[in-house]
Amino acid sequence: MADSSFDIVSKVDSMEVQNALGMAQKEIAQRYDFKGVDASLEMSGEKILMKANAEERVKAVLEVFEQKLIKRNISLRSLDAGKPFPSGKEYRIEAAMKQGISSEDAKKIAKIIRDEGPKSIKSQIQGDELRVQSKSRDDLQAVIALLKGKDLDVALQFVNMR
């Protein structure tokens, strides 16, 4: 019998991010507490820029965006937001959506699988994803359950189950 396998990836659907951004922009334009504070939220390329004229208002803009990401089923672990910093008369927060699994995170995940997973499991790092193989599908499902139970700082998806 051939080995069964699946891939562990960390990808974000860019259309869902665009939808969440649009919903957040609409809410910021309509909410009373954002009137007169020049609050804005925009995306250019991979960067998301939040602006407001006070530090607590720019944090509120980030909070609105996070709420919209949650509604669109995007993990906040994929959002890499910086700290508020002053820029002229306004405060800004720069953020980006994390794509792919970094090599140190992949090594950490492979070590968890090796140490705590079933012994028949083999894992290998392939670029920014991880391939997990075993003869038993039950062992693969045990690895998925194990990783879902861990508190990793990466949003994981399990794809290509064969």
Side-chain angles (χ1 to χ4, degrees):
M1 185 172 123
D3 281 2
S4 298
S5 69
F6 69 90
D7 295 331
I8 302 172
V9 298
S10 180
K11 293 195 180 356
V12 177
D13 185 358
S14 60
M15 282 310 300
E16 291 295 334
V17 173
Q18 290 289 340
N19 291 341
L21 189 77
M23 290 167 49
Q25 287 170 331
K26 197 177 287 185
E27 183 171 327
I28 288 166
Q30 293 174 349
R31 270 183 37 181
Y32 180 76
D33 59 335
F34 286 119
K35 296 282 187 238
V37 296
D38 298 327
S40 69
L41 176 67
E42 55 203 40
M43 186 169 189
S44 60
E46 293 294 310
K47 293 279 184 210
I48 301 162
L49 183 64
M50 293 157 252
K51 299 182 210 171
N53 65 3
E55 186 174 354
E56 65 273 355
R57 289 292 90 204
V58 78
K59 286 180 181 175
V61 170
L62 175 61
E63 201 172 290
V64 167
F65 184 54
E66 287 174 343
Q67 290 171 355
K68 300 307 176 189
L69 287 175
I70 291 169
K71 275 189 178 176
R72 306 300 300 180
N73 292 325
I74 298 172
S75 172
L76 292 183
R77 291 181 178 153
S78 298
L79 180 68
D80 185 20
K83 300 270 184 246
F85 63 93
S87 173
K89 293 182 178 179
E90 63 188 10
Y91 280 84
R92 295 178 175 203
I93 295 178
E94 289 183 352
M97 300 304 292
K98 289 190 255 181
Q99 295 276 18
I101 301 173
S102 68
S103 61
E104 56 267 1
D105 285 334
K107 288 175 187 172
K108 198 183 307 179
I109 293 167
K111 183 173 178 8
I112 290 171
I113 292 170
R114 204 174 334 112
D115 294 346
E116 301 176 32
K119 296 301 171 209
S120 65
I121 296 287
K122 291 182 286 234
S123 65
Q124 63 185 132
I125 300 170
Q126 297 178 333
D128 62 349
E129 59 185 47
L130 216 72
R131 162 103 5 117
V132 180
Q133 295 177 316
S134 175
K135 292 199 182 301
S136 166
R137 283 187 170 236
D138 291 339
D139 287 350
L140 292 178
Q141 290 174 341
V143 168
I144 291 173
L146 170 73
L147 291 175
K148 282 184 177 179
K150 291 289 177 187
D151 186 30
L152 301 167
D153 48 339
V154 181
L156 299 178
Q157 291 89 34
F158 307 98
V159 296
N160 296 337
M161 183 75 139
R162 292 184 212 131

